[in-house]
Amino acid sequence: MNPSTTSELSLYQLTQTTEPHLSPLIVSASTFREWVDTAIQFLIDEEIQATVWAKLPPNSRWWTNLENYYQEGLPQQIYRCTISRSGGTAPSRHGSHTAYPSQDNFTPIVLETNTQLRREHFCLILSPQLCCLILAQEQISADEDPPSGLLEPTVLKGVYSFNPTIIQKVLSGIKHLITITDTTPVEVLGESVLAFPLPSTMDATLLTKLWSRCLLPRSSVNPYNLPETSQPLPPKNLTLGEEFLKPLTTELSTPLTNMKTALRLLESKQHKRDIRQRYIDLLKKECDRQNTLLTGLQELLQLNQSLNDAEPIVHLEEVVPGIVSTYQAIAEEKGIMLGYTIPPGFPPVACPNVWLRRILQNIIHNSLKFTPKGGRITVQAALKSEGVEISVADTGMGIEQSDLPKLFDSFYRGRNTLNRDIEGVGLGLTIAHHLIEQCGGKIDIVSQVGKGTIVKVVFQESSD
């Protein structure tokens, strides 16, 4: 291939031009490696035969799980991608074992010399049961040296996807970058690299198992490196247990069942046009529901990142105004008055900035969904004996008293919302509740049907 035509091709940028849009996460190298290791270990444990394309740093620890996967005799093929050396020569299968200790077991693929691609690392998993993309781009400023390929001190922008369309697009991009050498396998030069179709829908049980792996607590002691006497203790990574994962299986399975039913009925030519349109509308609705659910799960994974680089405390007057302002346009469009009152000089609260933002965003978003035109939403802060209280009060539709104890259950939606055209899968308050508990805080909801709802969150004061 002609390098001049592809020198600016970036696989990361390719994922940013797709629909649905992949939101990047700022992660450390260790977090990115955990993503890759978790995915490969999952293939081993579930005995999934897959084709893997990987471009990873040369350190042996990045390739250990792939080597284990190979030793299990499971992979259909493992393609180890590297950047072309000067002159376009390919690294030998029997080259230095210092760089790639397991290279003899992998099929080498040489990619064109590309400044963008040098900053990018990926693991692409392809099988009839599961397809997955994990990709990261090094964030290097203009005055820094070029990437070394070791990653360790580097900040990364990471994305991941289980969407077959996006994954096929990235695979096509990789194939476009291949430099043909004497070791290039013939099968990767054809129109199709795969001897099987990628799954059009993900197996709900398989996806649930994988997500449970991603949400397992990581071993970390005192992640903020604070003295053991610091009070309150910093929050650990977000963990979700069986009470979340069991309903997740049902929530993933239901839209798939509905879509399969609609497709089967559409195959019948006996139905009239209006009935067929009804089934098409059902398919669109269930696809949107599935997409909303996956977005919520992606949010959970983002919040479950290592918090080593996060501030363990936050000042309300520095955060709340910005959060409220992001929702002002939506409130004005709906004819709702949205405001806040945060007195100056409040003590900082013991909650990471990114978690506090997500907590308030989820609560305010709920208020906007359930408050009609002409309503009001007010965010306030007050000092209480047990800590700093943040309240979000609205004049919305209110919540049935019998529903209040169930609001924090995963995927639960109140009975008075089921017959209304209100989007959502019931994860917002679940996420907020988990984050608040991880911070050592409390959440309470008071509501009256037809009058409105007040959500009160109490955080511990930070001694810093």
Side-chain angles (χ1 to χ4, degrees):
M1 288 187 188
N2 183 358
S4 63
T5 63
T6 58
S7 60
E8 294 304 317
L9 179 58
S10 161
L11 298 179
Y12 171 78
Q13 290 300 328
L14 208 56
T15 67
Q16 300 305 291
T17 61
T18 59
E19 290 294 339
H21 176 67
L22 296 184
S23 299
L25 313 177
I26 301 301
V27 300
S28 64
S30 60
T31 297
F32 176 60
R33 189 171 69 249
E34 284 176 357
W35 289 359
V36 175
D37 286 347
T38 298
I40 300 302
Q41 188 61 48
F42 183 76
L43 297 180
I44 296 173
D45 294 343
E46 297 296 319
E47 299 184 349
I48 296 175
Q49 296 183 336
T51 296
V52 180
W53 292 70
K55 177 182 178 290
L56 300 170
N59 314 61
S60 61
R61 56 183 169 176
W62 285 85
W63 297 86
T64 300
N65 265 20
L66 277 168
E67 175 67 19
N68 294 339
Y69 183 48
Y70 175 85
Q71 294 299 335
E72 292 289 332
L74 291 169
Q76 295 174 329
Q77 190 63 267
I78 299 178
Y79 296 112
R80 175 179 55 82
C81 300
T82 56
I83 299 297
S84 173
R85 298 177 180 177
S86 57
T89 60
S92 168
R93 272 183 176 266
H94 305 286
S96 169
H97 282 245
T98 303
Y100 292 95
S102 54
Q103 65 176 338
D104 287 349
N105 298 327
F106 305 149
T107 301
I109 298 292
V110 181
L111 304 179
E112 294 181 359
T113 303
N114 180 327
T115 303
Q116 293 285 351
L117 197 60
R118 287 181 62 197
R119 300 166 53 200
E120 297 175 351
H121 304 268
F122 58 82
C123 180
L124 197 61
I125 297 171
L126 310 167
S127 78
Q129 303 97 335
L130 174 74
C131 58
C132 177
L133 165 68
I134 306 171
L135 186 149
Q137 183 186 70
E138 299 179 47
Q139 300 303 292
I140 305 294
S141 62
D143 57 346
E144 292 185 22
D145 295 330
S148 64
L150 300 180
L151 276 190
E152 300 311 322
T154 310
V155 174
L156 308 173
K157 273 188 178 180
V159 293
Y160 53 89
S161 178
F162 303 105
N163 186 311
T165 302
I166 295 174
I167 290 170
Q168 186 66 58
K169 187 174 183 179
V170 171
L171 179 59
S172 298
I174 295 172
K175 288 183 61 180
H176 190 59
L177 288 163
I178 292 177
T179 293
I180 300 176
T181 69
D182 54 356
T183 62
T184 303
V186 176
E187 70 266 17
V188 304
L189 302 178
E191 288 297 321
S192 176
V193 177
L194 301 175
F196 52 84
L198 294 179
S200 57
T201 57
M202 300 294 292
D203 181 272
T205 303
L206 202 63
L207 190 58
T208 300
K209 287 182 179 180
L210 178 56
W211 274 104
S212 69
R213 295 291 186 85
C214 295
L215 296 173
L216 284 174
R218 298 185 177 94
S219 56
S220 60
V221 179
N222 200 11
Y224 293 104
N225 298 318
L226 296 177
E228 295 297 328
T229 56
S230 296
Q231 295 293 334
L233 291 176
K236 299 177 182 178
N237 283 359
L238 174 63
T239 60
L240 298 173
E242 192 173 337
E243 74 283 355
F244 175 84
L245 296 172
K246 277 187 175 180
L248 172 59
T249 303
T250 303
E251 194 66 25
L252 283 169
S253 301
T254 302
L256 294 178
T257 302
N258 292 341
M259 285 188 280
K260 288 179 181 178
T261 301
L263 286 171
R264 187 173 66 252
L265 294 171
L266 278 172
E267 289 176 350
S268 173
K269 297 182 180 180
Q270 300 177 356
H271 294 304
K272 295 180 179 179
R273 182 187 297 271
D274 59 335
I275 296 178
R276 292 175 64 85
Q277 184 60 48
R278 190 185 310 163
Y279 294 142
I280 292 173
D281 292 340
L282 173 61
L283 282 171
K284 291 179 180 178
K285 180 180 178 181
E286 294 299 346
C287 285
D288 290 341
R289 178 181 174 188
Q290 194 86 330
N291 187 57
T292 301
L293 176 59
L294 289 174
T295 300
L297 293 174
Q298 288 174 336
E299 176 185 307
L300 280 173
L301 186 58
Q302 179 178 5
L303 293 170
N304 198 52
Q305 295 176 67
S306 170
L307 295 172
N308 291 340
D309 300 326
E311 287 292 335
I313 63 173
V314 63
H315 294 267
L316 297 182
E317 62 267 28
E318 296 177 359
V319 174
V320 174
I323 296 174
V324 173
S325 67
T326 60
Y327 287 97
Q328 285 291 359
I330 299 175
E332 290 177 4
E333 184 178 344
K334 296 188 64 175
I336 298 172
M337 291 182 60
L338 173 62
Y340 67 91
T341 304
I342 306 294
F346 259 52
V349 298
C351 180
N353 186 305
V354 63
W355 284 12
L356 180 66
R357 288 180 180 276
R358 178 50 58 196
I359 291 166
L360 290 180
Q361 285 169 352
N362 285 5
I363 295 173
I364 295 173
H365 183 70
N366 264 12
S367 291
L368 285 168
K369 281 198 297 185
F370 300 115
T371 301
K373 182 177 181 179
R376 298 188 311 276
I377 301 174
T378 305
V379 182
Q380 293 181 311
L383 282 175
K384 301 291 183 178
S385 58
E386 61 269 35
V388 177
E389 179 187 273
I390 305 175
S391 65
V392 179
D394 66 54
T395 58
M397 60 191 293
I399 304 167
E400 296 280 355
Q401 293 301 305
S402 58
D403 286 330
L404 288 175
K406 307 171 188 176
L407 290 180
F408 304 125
D409 294 349
S410 303
F411 312 110
Y412 183 79
R413 301 187 73 195
R415 286 174 297 174
N416 60 345
T417 69
L418 297 180
N419 296 325
R420 298 170 183 255
D421 188 19
I422 298 176
E423 298 180 353
V425 294
L427 271 179
L429 285 178
T430 302
I431 294 172
H433 185 221
H434 277 284
L435 295 180
I436 292 164
E437 285 193 334
Q438 293 287 337
C439 295
K442 297 185 299 182
I443 181 171
D444 183 47
I445 299 179
V446 179
S447 187
Q448 185 176 352
V449 175
K451 297 289 186 180
T453 302
I454 303 175
V455 181
K456 299 178 180 179
V457 180
V458 178
F459 293 104
Q460 300 178 51
E461 294 182 31
S462 173
S463 57
D464 292 353

